[in-house]
Amino acid sequence: MTNIVVLAKLVPDLVEELEIAESGTALDMEWLRLIINEFDNHATEQAIILKERSGGEVTVIAPEAEGANEMLYTIAAKGADRLIMLKGDFEDGINNHALARAFAGAAKELKPDLVLTGVQANDDLDGSVGPLVAEYLGMSYVGYISGVSVSGETVVARKEYPGGLIAEMEVTLPAVLGIQAGEEPPRYVAISKVRQMMKTATIDEQEVGDLDASGGAMVQRMYVPEAAERAEMLEGDEEEVAARLVEIFKEAGLV
Amino acid sequence: MNQDIFVVVEHLRGQVADISYIMLAAARDLAQATGGEVVAVLLGHNAQALASNLAANHVLYGDHSSLAEFTSDAYTQALAGLLSKEAPRAAFFGSTSIGSDVAGVLSARLGLPLVSSCVQIADGNLISQICGGKIMAESALSDEVTTLVTVIPGGYKPAQGQAQTSPAVTTFEVSIAAPRVSLKQYIEPEVADVDISAENVLIAVGRGIQTEDNLELAEELAELLGGVVCASRPVVDQGWLPTARMVGKSGKSVKPKLYLALGISGAPEHVEGMADAEMIIAINMDPDAPIFDIATYGAEIDLFDLIDPLLEALEGA
């Protein structure tokens, strides 16, 4: 029976255009569209797989943000038992050191055996959340994990190295694991089930108080990169682009 | 605090990883700005020979039986002591399965600032690439304490961090108490039906391919062009293609004659594995997709609109 805590956050949807805030040192949060960090989604899946396999309880903790309610209810519909939303001064964004301290404060109360979170997030600028939380909780950390099995006081985690090499790491519990991919792709959950959760599940709101952001990056400026060179863009409709591509393939001796 | 730049050398099964040389090159740039030296930190067991071609002013070597293979706990313990004692201006780690396991823990344990995903050094500042390569952030070093930095490839070539002559090596004492993480075993990569790193033509699919069934379209293209289909991480994580077909950070590095990227945005983790392709053609609907910055040719077009006409044109060619 394992007590698992999942730490999840929302990140900018990179399909949308990103803008820099007036300060020049942060993303403009006002128009940002947020989605669940894909690696947190994998961490959620891994937690629910572990629960299905050997029992236990899954608690998800997320900071408040536009869409955080929906994210939490969706995770509940997938099988999480308990939902916690951290409330605080997050509107202008917070760094991962501050977030990790807030996560650790809430997780400590739950006395977890295992804490799972995404190995990274696309907006990380001061490291990822996992190793910071691990240290604040006094637990071990291992990241780049794509498979977890729990046995008694230890967990065996499959750690990924370049080229497809895997290292099986044995980690003494309690521990924090940074999930790269769950054993299975994140499951789909019907919107009707999510709606049902909105009616039946409760989100436990917790104030985090003053945020301590020390240890973050000292950002001088943020900007959209201008490429020194850019691709030669092929213009026209799909027929024209297709014809031009075939020419290019011919020039290169590929067809 | 002194002005030296430490580089924590990454190695796996007797081989120094390219990211180590890339970090040494970046550290050289930063050391010029701070006026310090580049110091490589090598941890291992009977591994001193790995220092031979590191482009560093000198090497600090820590030997311990618990460091024979990488584990986050043993590395963290060894480095916490060293960084506290030496207090360099900055310490570099790979933004990798090794470096990312220790940099964050050290930041929290020692109360040191951490800057991640650094790709370049400019005027003594750290330039990070975030949001899938769509945003750059410039950060300053702390004037008071050691700044920890994780480094991604892209700004420097490994050759820039390799030396012809061996640097001087000094050993330092390492003490490691009861590690809570241990390596059980390595599991070799699955044997693949094709070796994508040996192919001339790769049709690469990303998130934009949307469904498993759509892979068939890429397969048809690959057949007509005499190549094979490979993918970025999200496609492999869905289980649509085996890990052996994955290009990028935790997959393969490839250098084909043609890399046709369909619906791939070009996040740094992917680009790391394919930037050296001879010709990159990118098809993507997002005009801001970073893949267009490294591609030879690009088209801002829906790949599903393009594939049929392209298959027809190729069949007629």
Side-chain angles (χ1 to χ4, degrees), chain B residues 36-89:
Chain B
E37 296 200 322
V38 175
V39 179
V41 178
L42 179 64
L43 302 175
H45 187 47
N46 303 324
Q48 194 169 333
L50 295 177
S52 66
N53 70 340
L54 303 174
N57 294 87
H58 65 276
V59 178
L60 290 173
Y61 175 59
D63 191 293
H64 194 284
S65 57
S66 294
L67 296 171
E69 304 290 343
F70 172 80
T71 65
S72 52
D73 197 3
Y75 260 57
T76 309
Q77 289 192 41
L79 291 166
L82 181 73
L83 291 175
S84 306
K85 181 163 165 273
E86 301 289 334
R89 185 73 193 273

